[in-house]
Amino acid sequence: MTALCTTLPEHISLLLVDDHKIFLDGLSLALSSLTRELEVHTAQNAEQAEQWLQQRDFDLILLDLKLPDMPGLELLRRWQAQGRMTPVAILSASDSTQDAQAALAAGALGFIPKSSDSEELRLAVTRVLLGESLPAPQPTPIAELTPRQQEILPLLADGLPNKLISRRLGLSEDTVKTHLKALYQELNVHSRTACVAAARQRGWI
């Protein structure tokens, strides 16, 4: 029986793809203790990433979803279509369950939130390098909302005005407005459209 590898090799080569230079510098520093001979290369857009891949192979690519010249998922799908075998993990500021599921469906081995601290980041990268697939992050529990807010959100997403929402739920318009104000504060938004978008990102609707 072949033993499972549980330690990283001394030499590892990573490609970090993100359009923010300061973030790339911080990420490189956070990963510096990953292994003895860590080789880190960076790219700030899809074109630079493609150029690196034409020059050499990598053990892992950490790819941001939002790049200036091409969406990260589109770039990942292109690599998959080309038959590239380099493991890819998505590293994103998005906490959307939908984004995570789309990334995994496109061939990513993991979805790592940028909000991860250094230890969490190193652990996630280590797991991917050892051949594991990271599960999609779970949506923020909807228990943070009141039952009435949970009823209002889907109606808001359907585009119903306050008057129709109040009729549908048997509430006064003032009560609906009060619940909407609380939702805006909870999601840190200032409009109906932004409220729906933020709720969807959290997996609430």
Side-chain angles (χ1 to χ4, degrees), residues 50 53-54 56-57 78-86:
E50 296 270 47
L53 289 175
Q54 291 172 8
R56 54 168 302 142
D57 294 325
R78 175 190 291 185
W79 289 340
Q80 292 291 313
Q82 293 171 349
R84 291 192 178 277
M85 302 302 292
T86 307

Side-chain angles (χ1 to χ4, degrees), residues 165-183:
I165 293 176
S166 66
R167 288 178 183 173
R168 186 76 61 88
L169 299 178
L171 303 172
S172 69
E173 282 193 61
D174 286 341
T175 300
V176 171
K177 290 178 182 177
T178 299
H179 285 299
L180 286 178
K181 182 178 180 180
L183 281 170

Side-chain angles (χ1 to χ4, degrees), residues 170-205:
L171 303 172
S172 69
E173 282 193 61
D174 286 341
T175 300
V176 171
K177 290 178 182 177
T178 299
H179 285 299
L180 286 178
K181 182 178 180 180
L183 281 170
Y184 288 6
Q185 292 176 341
E186 174 68 31
L187 295 168
N188 193 28
V189 296
H190 304 284
S191 71
R192 298 167 71 93
T193 302
C195 180
V196 171
R200 281 186 172 138
Q201 190 176 57
R202 293 195 184 192
W204 288 354
I205 52 177

Side-chain angles (χ1 to χ4, degrees), residues 73 76-77 80 98-109:
L73 280 184
L76 175 57
R77 292 188 184 104
Q80 292 291 313
Q98 292 178 334
D99 285 343
Q101 292 174 342
L104 297 176
L109 293 184

Side-chain angles (χ1 to χ4, degrees), residues 59-159:
D59 295 299
L60 176 65
I61 300 171
L62 292 179
L63 176 65
D64 188 20
L65 281 180
K66 296 182 179 180
L67 299 174
D69 52 349
M70 178 184 296
L73 280 184
E74 184 178 334
L75 182 59
L76 175 57
R77 292 188 184 104
R78 175 190 291 185
W79 289 340
Q80 292 291 313
Q82 293 171 349
R84 291 192 178 277
M85 302 302 292
T86 307
V88 177
I90 298 297
L91 188 64
S92 177
S94 170
D95 60 359
S96 167
T97 304
Q98 292 178 334
D99 285 343
Q101 292 174 342
L104 297 176
L109 293 184
F111 190 93
I112 306 171
K114 284 185 176 180
S115 57
S116 303
D117 61 31
S118 296
E119 184 175 350
E120 292 170 336
L121 178 63
R122 285 191 294 270
L123 177 59
V125 170
T126 298
R127 290 175 63 187
V128 176
L129 284 167
L130 291 175
E132 291 187 47
S133 294
L134 304 180
Q138 296 302 307
T140 305
I142 199 168
E144 295 179 16
L145 303 181
T146 67
R148 189 63 80 184
Q149 290 169 349
Q150 293 176 35
E151 291 177 334
I152 289 175
L153 261 179
L155 300 179
L156 193 68
D158 288 339

